[in-house]
Amino acid sequence: MPLRPALITACVLNLLAVRGSALTLAAAGVSGRRALPSLARRAAYRRAAAAAVSMSTSSTSTSAAGSNRGGVDVLSARVPDATNPMSRGLVGAEASRLQMLSFYCFTPVADPEATRDLIFGLLSGLDPQKVRAGANAAGAAEHNRPLLGQDAIRGSVYVAAEGINAQLGVPVERVAELEAMLRSVPELAPEGRLSLNMGSVVDAEASTFRRLLVRRRRQILTDHIPGAEAAPLDLEDAGEELGAEDWHAAMTSAEPIVLDCRNDYESDVGKFAPAVPLDTKTFGDTWAALEEKIPDKVKENPDTPVYIYCTGGIRCVKVGAYMKQKLGLNPKRLEHGIIGYERWVQDQGAADGAEGAEAAPESTFEGENFVFDRRRTTPNAGAEPPSKKAKVEGKD
């Protein structure tokens, strides 16, 4: 049986962690009181690898329409990458910096396969039918995928009956073009449906994604919510969504109740100061963890606000809906997640110094943010610029 990509990735991460080598493509580490020990990062990588192995070995095959993996549901193309021996020579000096961004949209998708093909065609400029035919003829090996130019959009897009979810790296001069293309997708066209969550801007030489992949899945966020098939959650009713400024005020108030809705390997490298991690291995573990981690005083007084967050906001939609509808609680979720909060902190810092401007707030997120591309982590907005950081063991 061929190794699945998740298993291969897990093995590579695990070997790197065991040998004590930090990923050379990870963002520079944080220094000072916000830094987390490199050992903690290595342990987090090991847990991420173990989770990937677990998901790879425990998943069962389903029909093509219901599967979360499988070549028949995927369209992909390679992109030039400075760290990939197969394409590193194609990254020229004129290559553009990349805007890292993400978006998600829970909205009915009548024909996920057709929407997948449309999005792949728009983002790649290729004919989906020819790409699919070529993959079927040549096999799924890396070198058999078409190779895009150095100004290509790269990353992963997931399409399912419940919506669309994406993590992308986009040449900075193509961001407006990307947004226009996405708005031509019927499910994303209505006003307010598409909201791009802008992350870091990285150098062209940084390895983020080695391909553009658009996959049809059973769900854009696999949840394993108990009883969801019989009584689906209303994802429009997921609790109040707080902007970054209101979230910051809550984090600096007296003893807020905060739950980190990410997995343990993410929480281990960074979290909001007052947060209690759910300590899950996969998102499907969330529902049992909530029962354990929600304080008794909240169960006794369900109107008590419970602040929840994740990386970009998508997980908290399902968590918030579950907490409100199944547990009768009062969730408050962070709009655009950690990425949006850190962007707000940076924007406030950039405005600091203007006449009449207030002092920039200090980020309440401590450590690093675990991200799902080849960088693995990004420093928080309160960290010093890389040129001023002390060298962290295992990092260049």
Side-chain angles (χ1 to χ4, degrees):
M1 178 178 179
L3 286 174
R4 293 176 175 141
L7 181 56
I8 296 171
T9 301
C11 292
V12 172
L13 285 174
N14 206 18
L15 285 171
L16 287 171
V18 170
R19 292 177 62 183
S21 300
L23 291 174
T24 58
L25 305 174
V30 234
S31 63
R33 69 179 183 83
R34 294 188 180 280
L36 291 180
S38 58
L39 286 176
R41 283 195 295 276
R42 293 176 198 158
Y45 297 149
R46 284 196 293 273
R47 275 188 287 278
V53 170
S54 174
M55 286 187 287
S56 177
T57 56
S58 64
S59 63
T60 57
S61 59
T62 59
S63 67
S67 175
N68 272 354
R69 51 178 85 242
V72 296
D73 285 331
V74 178
L75 291 174
S76 67
R78 293 176 293 146
V79 297
D81 183 280
T83 66
N84 188 345
M86 299 174 65
S87 63
R88 64 162 61 110
L90 300 176
V91 182
E94 70 279 10
S96 224
R97 301 186 81 199
L98 296 175
Q99 170 68 65
M100 306 304 295
L101 61 85
S102 61
F103 70 88
Y104 66 87
C105 178
F106 286 108
T107 187
V109 178
D111 189 343
E113 182 177 359
T115 300
R116 176 205 62 194
D117 288 3
L118 173 60
I119 292 174
F120 181 79
L122 288 169
L123 300 191
S124 69
L126 300 175
D127 182 338
Q129 292 185 354
K130 291 182 178 179
V131 171
R132 185 161 50 248
N136 290 338
E142 175 77 15
H143 63 272
N144 289 327
R145 301 189 185 109
L147 177 63
L148 304 178
Q150 67 178 13
D151 65 343
I153 295 168
R154 73 265 338 258
S156 301
V157 184
Y158 302 112
V159 182
E162 69 176 2
I164 303 170
N165 179 27
Q167 302 84 41
L168 300 170
V170 186
V172 290
E173 70 275 7
R174 297 193 64 191
V175 172
E177 177 191 355
L178 168 74
E179 185 168 8
M181 288 190 294
L182 291 173
R183 292 192 185 283
S184 71
V185 177
E187 290 84 359
L188 301 176
E191 186 68 27
R193 187 72 60 80
L194 176 66
S195 179
L196 298 182
N197 190 8
M198 301 296 184
S200 306
V201 175
V202 301
D203 291 336
E205 294 78 17
S207 186
T208 54
F209 299 99
R210 286 184 169 179
R211 59 185 175 171
L212 171 67
L213 177 151
V214 185
R215 184 191 297 272
R216 180 181 60 164
R217 303 181 68 178
R218 188 177 66 84
Q219 292 180 292
I220 59 172
L221 176 60
T222 305
D223 53 47
H224 301 296
I225 297 174
E229 291 187 6
L233 294 173
D234 177 5
L235 299 182
E236 296 291 327
D237 185 24
E240 183 181 2
E241 189 173 53
L242 298 181
E245 185 173 3
D246 290 336
W247 179 269
H248 182 80
M251 294 304 99
T252 54
S253 65
E255 300 184 356
I257 297 170
V258 189
L259 296 179
D260 184 341
C261 297
R262 302 171 301 153
N263 295 318
D264 55 5
Y265 54 85
E266 300 169 78
S267 304
D268 283 352
V269 296
K271 70 180 188 68
F272 282 98
V276 174
L278 292 186
D279 290 329
T280 53
K281 301 299 181 186
T282 69
F283 187 58
D285 300 333
T286 298
W287 325 112
L290 284 172
E291 301 283 354
E292 177 186 344
K293 299 288 185 176
I294 292 173
D296 289 340
K297 65 179 181 180
V298 173
K299 297 174 181 177
E300 295 166 1
N301 184 7
D303 290 335
T304 304
V306 180
Y307 299 92
I308 59 176
Y309 71 91
C310 57
T311 307
I314 185 171
R315 282 177 276 189
C316 284
V317 174
K318 291 194 173 184
V319 174
Y322 183 89
M323 290 176 65
K324 186 173 182 183
Q325 296 166 44
K326 300 294 186 182
L327 304 181
L329 302 179
N330 180 21
K332 308 281 186 181
R333 52 196 175 92
L334 174 58
E335 181 183 20
H336 287 162
I338 299 165
I339 293 172
Y341 174 81
E342 291 289 271
R343 183 176 64 249
W344 173 78
V345 172
Q346 290 174 337
D347 289 346
Q348 298 302 304
D352 189 14
E355 185 175 352
E358 297 181 2
E362 183 177 2
S363 175
T364 60
F365 185 82
E366 298 182 344
E368 295 176 308
N369 184 25
F370 192 100
V371 292
F372 293 89
D373 60 62
R374 294 177 62 82
R375 295 171 298 162
R376 286 300 168 208
T377 62
T378 61
N380 73 44
E384 297 177 4
S387 60
K388 296 182 180 180
K389 289 181 183 177
K391 185 173 182 178
V392 178
E393 178 184 294
K395 296 204 176 200
D396 293 331

